[in-house]
Amino acid sequence: MVYKQQQTNQAEMKEIMQFKNYMAEPITPVNQLEKNRDDMKTQMELMIMRIQAEFCRALEKEEDEDAKFRVDRWTRKEGGGGITCVLQDGRVFEKAGVNISVVSGKLPPAAAQQMRTRGKNFDGKELPFFAAGVSAVIHPRNPMVPTIHFNYRYFEVQDKNGVQWWFGGGTDLTPYYLNEEDAVHFHLTLKHACDAHDKSYYSRFKKWCDDYFTITHRGERRGVGGIFFDDVDQPDQQSAFSFVTSCAEAVIPSYIPLVQKHKDDPYGYHERQWQLLRRGRYVEFNLIYDRGTKFGLFTPEARYESILMSLPLNAKWEYMHEPTANSPEHKLMSVLKEPRDWLQLDQTHARTS
Amino acid sequence: MVYKQQQTNQAEMKEIMQFKNYMAEPITPVNQLEKNRDDMKTQMELMIMRIQAEFCRALEKEEDEDAKFRVDRWTRKEGGGGITCVLQDGRVFEKAGVNISVVSGKLPPAAAQQMRTRGKNFDGKELPFFAAGVSAVIHPRNPMVPTIHFNYRYFEVQDKNGVQWWFGGGTDLTPYYLNEEDAVHFHLTLKHACDAHDKSYYSRFKKWCDDYFTITHRGERRGVGGIFFDDVDQPDQQSAFSFVTSCAEAVIPSYIPLVQKHKDDPYGYHERQWQLLRRGRYVEFNLIYDRGTKFGLFTPEARYESILMSLPLNAKWEYMHEPTANSPEHKLMSVLKEPRDWLQLDQTHARTS
């Protein structure tokens, strides 16, 4: 499905508006969406609804027949709401959460302050805002299948000088055992999505991802990275949306092949224990460093169950655990301590120049 | 052992200095300790060394014979170090960590700032400081045995106007199933320790504990509380030390009877699952809210393994878990949402007045 087409084709638009393919009814009332169909707020809401549904269906296809997503549609007093889809304790997925939220209201001062420290400049105190995003964390059962996380979001903040808008997001992979072919496939899929829009994006956002997903106190990355960006407002709104849409559409081709490839790989107690320890590290990152989690939890009346769906079903902390030298676990650690240039762009560049 | 006696009795002091009863050699060189035996820094270091050893021995007594504490003595470049004792995967204790640290150096600006926000007023930038403390978190295997945490610490910060010193600490209990008799025993033991020093302490510090150990986003307390205080510098240094010593000495009588009473209680899969979910909440508190953990992890070159020994061996997060009405799990939750006056002090007061 190409999104632009849908917009211009009224008949198709009508079909989209029937929502039959979504996980639940959109958050914004239908007549409002129809009236403002060209507004970026509408475009973003329908895009994240579609991405959520497509991804949930793709995951369910890999599961046993009776393992289905539970769907919770929720609203918040201050405005907006979300749809939280969770599949728990499946045979293939131990915990899979795919969430969309569409919220508006007055920006909490703490949130405005946090945005300011990241370079945003707002004039005024009680700032009306709009935020729409999709986010997912998939924790498979088999330790040979990596965990994936992605999040794509659109912000509008209104101050005295008008509306400021920007997109943020990213997709990143957290393997328990390193498979270099998988990492290359994953990064290459993301690079293709980026390259269609700006040749400079992939390498910039790949580095940003490595920097962001750092468990600082341990001096290690959470996984093998991907892409991450926080403030895309170039070259124009429609192009930026189109880029974010491409990234979101790249999630399935980047990840589902890895699930299919490894979901029946053999493993034992040792590999499961290592996976649980790494899931402990995942919890450390999410609760100590992740800005999205903190932003969410510190928002009054936050739906914490949706925010914390990212946490694994099971996690483990062993005092002073140290993988043995030259073990597969040790191999993973060396990549987490020293991020790799998976597509060897520098090298390729050196060769061709 | 009464501490003051040791101080005044030189022969006994010599014996203490042989360290044969400690888990490892003290952090401060022996000749320095002997030279400054009346200094509060020395008194505190020897007290926490003794408390650590006594508590580790008391826990080992409840364990199978081959389950012993691993002892790691470590030093830090900037000055001082610590002794971390961990017993992992025992039959009675799933993970038990008892740590002491004695550190000095220049206070990191972030730490000084954090102390300022809590009412401390320092004049200057690079402030020499000294901190000595003992802290422990015990996660038993049997869900009928509560988790205990305690921490007692002494701070000195030197600014242009001289040395500021204060004591902080607390002991609190986190049951998985509520046993009211246990909660009363625990609180009563702490109250006796407090009352010997100041009749106002227990009720003040009990409330402080309930307020501090709050998982704000869930609107629940971590456990059934205990005592907590952050800035005791009254009526004088020796009296304050004596109070903190009493509190630390109350840990064994407050907790070990509960271990003995419940360590062989029957339980099954259901109770274990509930315990793991509550351990997830413990992780949430420690990583999101606990000031000690954050202070530790954000300190450059922190020994994160010692800081994170407080995390349970295993934890679990289930989406939207809700205990059934009137279940034992539900009974615990109601006490976590509405802290109780365990010793019914208000009521007693009303009756006798």
Side-chain angles (χ1 to χ4, degrees):
Chain A
M1 285 207 290
V2 175
Y3 196 81
K4 269 189 181 155
Q5 235 176 11
Q6 296 167 359
Q7 262 185 279
T8 48
N9 183 326
Q10 208 166 328
E12 261 188 54
M13 186 66 184
K14 212 153 199 171
E15 203 185 328
I16 294 172
M17 292 295 187
Q18 290 174 348
F19 320 124
K20 63 180 179 190
N21 296 316
Y22 299 153
M23 300 304 280
E25 202 182 313
I27 302 304
T28 306
V30 181
N31 58 353
Q32 209 174 312
L33 287 173
E34 279 176 342
K35 213 175 65 188
N36 306 313
R37 71 178 58 166
D38 292 334
D39 190 332
M40 184 50 68
K41 295 202 277 283
T42 302
Q43 293 188 52
M44 191 66 186
E45 181 166 349
L46 294 178
M47 188 272 272
I48 60 179
M49 295 281 300
R50 173 172 66 83
I51 291 294
Q52 178 182 47
E54 289 173 0
F55 193 49
C56 285
R57 303 308 182 210
L59 294 170
E60 281 179 349
K61 259 194 207 158
E62 304 305 322
E63 263 294 355
D64 287 353
E65 244 178 65
D66 58 336
K68 297 290 174 205
F69 275 92
R70 162 181 176 168
V71 178
D72 288 329
R73 187 180 182 280
W74 47 274
T75 54
R76 60 195 281 279
K77 255 190 292 178
E78 299 75 15
I83 302 165
T84 300
C85 301
V86 175
L87 192 162
Q88 201 165 263
D89 235 342
R91 190 177 63 81
V92 177
F93 302 109
E94 197 172 348
K95 195 164 167 198
V98 187
N99 189 55
I100 68 113
S101 65
V102 179
V103 302
S104 56
K106 303 280 184 188
L107 203 62
Q113 187 50 41
Q114 211 201 343
M115 288 171 177
R116 280 194 193 92
T117 63
R118 280 150 52 201
K120 295 281 167 199
N121 244 315
F122 303 125
D123 208 349
K125 263 191 177 173
E126 289 267 281
L127 305 167
F129 83 103
F130 170 88
V134 55
S135 75
V137 176
I138 313 303
H139 294 295
R141 191 174 296 281
N142 191 314
M144 301 305 153
V145 185
T147 283
I148 191 177
H149 158 254
F150 74 87
N151 165 235
Y152 290 97
R153 55 193 184 273
Y154 171 69
F155 266 97
E156 279 187 10
V157 178
Q158 200 180 322
D159 73 355
K160 280 193 284 188
N161 309 311
V163 172
Q164 292 192 46
W165 60 265
W166 69 97
F167 293 90
T171 306
D172 66 281
L173 197 71
T174 306
Y176 303 93
Y177 286 92
L178 183 66
N179 180 310
E180 306 194 1
E181 203 179 70
D182 292 352
V184 170
H185 162 83
F186 183 77
H187 275 269
L188 202 55
T189 311
L190 300 183
K191 184 174 186 296
H192 285 323
C194 291
D195 282 355
H197 299 270
D198 189 318
K199 296 282 186 200
S200 78
Y201 276 177
Y202 170 75
S203 58
R204 264 171 61 203
F205 298 160
K206 190 267 183 199
K207 183 181 180 316
W208 201 339
C209 188
D210 287 335
D211 292 345
Y212 180 77
F213 291 103
T214 298
I215 304 169
T216 310
H217 57 275
R218 294 188 185 268
E220 64 190 45
R221 306 300 169 301
R222 188 172 77 172
V224 296
I227 54 170
F228 183 87
F229 53 89
D230 211 6
D231 58 357
V232 168
D233 54 4
Q234 297 288 336
D236 58 76
Q237 203 178 45
Q238 204 59 49
S239 303
F241 173 66
S242 171
F243 162 61
V244 167
T245 304
S246 291
C247 290
E249 287 173 344
V251 168
I252 291 179
S254 76
Y255 183 60
I256 297 294
L258 308 186
V259 176
Q260 291 168 338
K261 186 174 160 190
H262 296 294
K263 69 179 180 179
D264 296 319
D265 281 3
Y267 71 94
Y269 179 81
H270 177 79
E271 289 76 19
R272 171 65 170 166
Q273 294 307 303
W274 173 245
Q275 182 200 46
L276 292 173
L277 286 173
R278 295 305 311 165
R279 290 207 163 136
R281 306 296 181 265
Y282 207 92
V283 172
E284 285 179 29
F285 179 82
N286 281 27
L287 298 186
I288 301 175
Y289 300 106
D290 188 58
R291 287 200 299 254
T293 305
K294 278 196 277 192
F295 177 87
L297 290 180
F298 294 168
T299 303
E301 306 286 323
R303 189 173 193 269
Y304 56 82
E305 287 284 0
S306 297
I307 299 163
L308 297 178
M309 72 172 194
S310 64
L311 300 179
L313 191 61
N314 294 287
K316 200 172 165 117
W317 281 269
E318 257 181 40
Y319 175 67
M320 296 291 273
H321 184 277
E322 201 60 67
T324 50
N326 302 317
S327 63
E329 294 80 16
H330 187 262
K331 192 179 150 196
L332 175 74
M333 290 310 300
S334 65
V335 172
L336 300 185
K337 281 178 193 295
E338 200 70 61
R340 211 181 281 179
D341 176 14
W342 292 105
L343 308 179
Q344 298 189 289
L345 296 179
D346 292 342
Q347 208 174 308
T348 313
H349 183 71
R351 244 184 287 148
T352 56
S353 66
Chain B
M1 285 208 289
V2 176
Y3 196 81
K4 269 188 182 157
Q5 236 176 12
Q6 295 167 3
Q7 262 185 279
T8 46
N9 185 325
Q10 210 167 328
E12 261 189 53
M13 185 69 184
K14 212 153 198 169
E15 202 184 328
I16 293 172
M17 292 295 188
Q18 290 175 347
F19 320 123
K20 63 179 180 192
N21 295 317
Y22 299 153
M23 300 303 280
E25 201 182 313
I27 302 303
T28 307
V30 182
N31 58 353
Q32 210 175 312
L33 287 172
E34 279 176 342
K35 213 174 66 189
N36 306 313
R37 69 177 59 168
D38 291 334
D39 190 333
M40 184 50 69
K41 295 201 278 283
T42 301
Q43 293 188 50
M44 190 68 186
E45 181 166 348
L46 295 178
M47 188 271 271
I48 61 179
M49 296 279 302
R50 171 172 68 84
I51 291 295
Q52 177 183 48
E54 288 173 0
F55 193 50
C56 287
R57 303 307 181 211
L59 294 170
E60 281 178 349
K61 258 194 206 158
E62 304 305 321
E63 262 294 357
D64 286 354
E65 243 177 69
D66 57 339
K68 297 290 174 205
F69 274 92
R70 163 182 175 167
V71 179
D72 288 329
R73 186 180 183 279
W74 47 275
T75 54
R76 60 195 281 279
K77 254 190 293 178
E78 298 76 13
I83 302 166
T84 301
C85 301
V86 175
L87 191 162
Q88 202 165 263
D89 234 343
R91 191 177 64 81
V92 177
F93 301 109
E94 197 172 348
K95 196 165 166 193
V98 188
N99 190 55
I100 68 112
S101 64
V102 179
V103 301
S104 57
K106 302 280 183 187
L107 203 61
Q113 187 49 40
Q114 212 202 344
M115 287 170 175
R116 279 192 193 94
T117 64
R118 282 152 51 202
K120 294 283 166 197
N121 244 316
F122 302 125
D123 209 348
K125 263 189 177 175
E126 291 267 281
L127 305 167
F129 83 103
F130 170 89
V134 56
S135 75
V137 177
I138 312 302
H139 294 295
R141 191 174 296 280
N142 191 315
M144 302 304 154
V145 185
T147 283
I148 191 176
H149 158 252
F150 73 89
N151 164 235
Y152 290 97
R153 54 193 183 275
Y154 171 69
F155 267 96
E156 278 187 10
V157 179
Q158 199 181 323
D159 72 354
K160 280 192 286 191
N161 310 312
V163 172
Q164 292 192 48
W165 60 265
W166 69 97
F167 293 90
T171 306
D172 66 283
L173 197 71
T174 305
Y176 303 92
Y177 286 92
L178 183 66
N179 181 308
E180 307 193 1
E181 204 180 72
D182 292 352
V184 170
H185 162 83
F186 182 78
H187 275 269
L188 202 57
T189 311
L190 299 183
K191 184 174 185 297
H192 284 323
C194 291
D195 282 357
H197 300 270
D198 189 318
K199 295 280 184 202
S200 77
Y201 277 176
Y202 170 76
S203 58
R204 263 171 63 204
F205 298 160
K206 190 266 187 202
K207 185 183 179 316
W208 200 340
C209 188
D210 287 336
D211 291 345
Y212 180 77
F213 290 103
T214 297
I215 304 171
T216 310
H217 58 275
R218 295 188 183 267
E220 63 190 47
R221 306 299 169 301
R222 187 171 78 172
V224 297
I227 54 170
F228 182 88
F229 53 89
D230 210 6
D231 58 357
V232 168
D233 54 4
Q234 297 287 335
D236 58 74
Q237 203 177 45
Q238 204 59 48
S239 303
F241 173 67
S242 170
F243 162 62
V244 166
T245 303
S246 291
C247 290
E249 286 173 347
V251 169
I252 291 177
S254 76
Y255 184 60
I256 297 294
L258 308 186
V259 176
Q260 290 166 339
K261 184 174 162 191
H262 296 294
K263 68 178 181 179
D264 295 318
D265 279 4
Y267 71 94
Y269 179 81
H270 177 81
E271 289 75 19
R272 170 65 171 166
Q273 294 306 303
W274 173 246
Q275 181 199 48
L276 291 174
L277 286 174
R278 295 305 311 165
R279 290 205 164 141
R281 307 295 182 266
Y282 207 92
V283 172
E284 285 179 30
F285 179 83
N286 281 26
L287 298 187
I288 301 175
Y289 300 106
D290 188 58
R291 287 201 300 254
T293 305
K294 278 197 278 192
F295 177 86
L297 290 181
F298 295 168
T299 302
E301 307 284 323
R303 190 174 191 269
Y304 56 82
E305 288 284 0
S306 298
I307 298 163
L308 298 177
M309 71 170 197
S310 64
L311 300 179
L313 192 59
N314 294 286
K316 200 172 164 117
W317 282 269
E318 258 181 42
Y319 175 68
M320 297 291 272
H321 184 277
E322 201 59 68
T324 49
N326 303 316
S327 62
E329 293 81 16
H330 187 263
K331 191 179 151 198
L332 176 74
M333 289 312 299
S334 65
V335 172
L336 299 186
K337 281 177 194 296
E338 200 70 62
R340 210 182 281 178
D341 176 14
W342 292 105
L343 307 180
Q344 299 188 290
L345 295 180
D346 292 343
Q347 208 175 309
T348 313
H349 183 73
R351 242 184 290 148
T352 56
S353 67

